[in-house]
Amino acid sequence: MIDLKKAVGYFRASKKDQKNTLAAHLSRLLMYGLTESQIFWDVETGSKSDRDGYQEVLSQLRSGKTKWVVTTRLDRFTRSSLDWELAIRDFSDAGAEIICIDESSIDLNTPGGLFFSRILAARAQSEIEELSKRSREGWKYLRKKKIAVNPPFGYRLSQSRTLELNTDPFLTMPCGEELSRAEIAQDIIDTFFRIESLRGTVRAINHKYGVQNLRFNAPRAGFISKGRFHVSVSGLKYWLTNPVLCGHYRYLEGSVNEEIIYNTHPDHRLLTNAQQENIHLIIADNATRRGFAFLGAKYPFSGLVYCAECGATAYSNKAGARNGIQKKYYYYRCSNAGNLACNQQKMARMDILEKSVIEVLIERKKALASLAQTPQDSVDPPELASLRTRLFALEAISGFDPDIEEARTKLRNRIASYSETIKHHQEHQSANRKILLAVFSDPDYWLTLLDDEKRKFYRLLVKKVIIRDGQVEDVKLHI
């Protein structure tokens, strides 16, 4: 018999079957005699040890508060042989026991009990490894056949398992107009390019479509509410930067084996590659300027000016008054200068800074114009050349070997992916060159543009403006 006052319960459920598994394991532990406050649980894979509930149970073991841990099966506690070995130490040091309701009693104080527990842990880990192997084989098959998975908002799976725009009626507006997911997706993109702010776009879209966040009655509402129409700042950023919107597939996202297969559905793209490059640039620029709502963002170079001494962002400042007359000048000053964390106390006047940058852009424009008249040889970057050399060596091997063929396929995919990335970068660079050649053909015209218009062009052309002692030390361009 155990003292239930010194016992805790624990179980783990996987994400894919959490809805049924959570209730089943919880009811088993409640029937055993534990209260809800004594039961900890996680929705996570059993091969991970950084689970919140799991770590809380181990913490209670180490503190001596717990003498018994009750679970349904040992694989609900852990699926890692290594983690189980470490947990055994905590049980031994605390003089505690683990009780598995659906398995034979495990006495960790006897050699036989320890041996049996290790067999159970090894079996659980073996099952994980087998599932992982099947998953890898499954993803390999999907990539080989170019089968689409996880369509983002605006898309659906076709009968042939490819991605296509979802044009089915989805939302009825108060005026009676029916909109599809694809139409709403395009509206979100257009709104972002108009507002140029993630938060502003979310506010505008949610207001337009009457979206409100509701609390769903589920332990982890994120999985239960999957597929519902809602827009958040983080979700919008993830969605806008998804290569699927540009007509590409992405597999194993975020893993070391992540792979992008290009131009799989070019007739159903919502964004061009150049537009998505611009989205990345806008998001990065807003991050440096704390968003367009930030007061200093109204000036053309806000977020682009940096201190040469400490590397901090320079903020805008308005000149003070002299002899009762307000000066009309504006300055950029190192953000660390005010608290004396940087010795660069001099401020750079905005008009002088802009003049220096324009001179650099004009010189760059002349160089590009001259370069355009000279035929350029196409040379592969070193990394791409190395990949081609390795592929050439593998293709020279005669005979069929499945391992060698798999290595050839991986190299071909890497070469295709790398070549496509270079192509996208070159297209973006070409677009920026055209902007530079067109806009700075007449510098006087440039000076007549409004600050909002200048800011957009500067963001495309200028990477950084480095200032020191109130002067421009260096201008780094994107082109």
Side-chain angles (χ1 to χ4, degrees), residues 385-415:
S386 174
L387 291 175
R388 293 191 191 278
T389 301
R390 289 162 60 187
L391 179 61
F392 179 79
L394 285 177
E395 289 180 335
I397 300 175
S398 59
F400 178 78
D401 184 302
D403 293 332
I404 294 177
E405 184 58 34
E406 183 178 356
R408 289 172 183 156
T409 302
K410 287 183 177 180
L411 275 174
R412 293 189 192 107
N413 289 339
R414 287 184 63 187
I415 290 172

Side-chain angles (χ1 to χ4, degrees), residues 4 7-9 26 29-40:
L4 289 176
V8 297
L26 180 60
L29 295 179
L30 290 174
M31 290 175 62
Y32 193 84
L34 298 172
T35 64
E36 288 192 15
S37 62
Q38 291 176 283
I39 299 173
F40 301 92

Side-chain angles (χ1 to χ4, degrees), residues 91-353:
F91 277 96
S92 177
D93 292 343
E97 298 180 24
I98 186 167
I99 297 174
C100 302
I101 298 175
D102 294 338
E103 293 170 337
S104 301
S105 177
I106 303 175
D107 186 355
L108 300 180
N109 297 311
T110 66
L114 282 174
F115 179 69
F116 180 59
S117 73
R118 285 166 176 151
I119 291 177
L120 293 178
R123 186 180 67 184
Q125 180 165 335
S126 176
E127 291 174 355
I128 279 287
E129 291 170 351
E130 183 62 30
L131 289 172
S132 178
K133 179 183 177 182
R134 292 177 186 172
S135 177
R136 289 195 302 271
E137 292 296 325
W139 281 108
K140 182 179 177 181
Y141 174 80
L142 292 174
R143 294 197 300 273
K144 183 178 180 180
K145 297 294 184 180
K146 295 184 179 179
I147 296 175
V149 293
N150 301 327
F153 182 80
Y155 287 88
R156 66 184 173 194
L157 289 174
S158 68
Q159 292 183 348
S160 59
R161 294 287 294 178
T162 59
L163 285 182
E164 62 182 13
L165 292 172
N166 191 340
T167 56
D168 292 338
F170 171 63
L171 190 67
T172 302
M173 299 295 288
C175 62
E177 180 186 9
E178 285 190 335
L179 298 175
S180 67
R181 287 178 172 85
E183 289 173 318
I184 295 175
Q186 189 61 61
D187 185 34
I188 294 173
I189 291 171
D190 294 340
T191 302
F192 177 79
F193 278 120
R194 175 171 53 84
I195 298 177
E196 296 189 325
S197 164
L198 290 171
R199 192 170 298 279
T201 300
V202 169
R203 188 183 300 112
I205 291 297
N206 286 346
H207 176 73
K208 181 175 181 178
Y209 295 106
V211 176
Q212 293 183 357
N213 290 329
L214 303 176
R215 184 179 181 86
F216 299 102
N217 187 23
R220 297 289 172 94
F223 297 104
I224 302 301
S225 62
K226 186 177 181 180
R228 295 177 183 269
F229 176 61
H230 59 274
V231 186
S232 65
V233 174
S234 59
L236 177 61
K237 179 181 178 181
Y238 172 81
W239 183 76
L240 285 172
T241 56
N242 191 336
V244 173
L245 273 61
C246 297
H248 318 309
Y249 285 168
R250 177 166 61 183
Y251 296 103
L252 299 173
E253 176 194 355
S255 73
V256 294
N257 296 317
E258 179 176 335
E259 183 178 352
I260 296 177
I261 299 180
Y262 293 89
N263 298 320
T264 51
H265 50 286
D267 296 332
H268 292 270
R269 64 176 63 189
L270 287 167
L271 287 168
T272 65
N273 296 317
Q275 285 176 321
Q276 194 165 78
E277 287 276 356
N278 195 22
I279 287 173
H280 280 285
L281 196 59
I282 291 171
I283 292 174
D285 182 62
N286 285 355
T288 62
R289 297 189 290 108
R290 301 182 184 177
F292 275 97
F294 181 55
L295 182 61
K298 65 182 180 180
Y299 303 113
F301 286 98
S302 295
L304 298 177
V305 185
Y306 294 84
C307 174
E309 185 71 18
C310 67
T313 306
Y315 292 156
S316 57
N317 286 270
K318 187 176 182 180
R322 180 178 294 177
N323 298 325
I325 301 175
Q326 177 65 48
K327 295 180 182 180
K328 297 182 179 181
Y329 304 128
Y330 290 83
Y331 298 87
Y332 281 110
R333 186 189 187 193
C334 173
S335 58
N336 287 329
N339 56 16
L340 302 181
C342 180
N343 60 14
Q344 290 295 314
Q345 297 294 318
K346 289 187 178 181
M347 296 186 286
R349 269 177 49 171
M350 287 188 186
D351 54 342
I352 297 176
L353 181 147

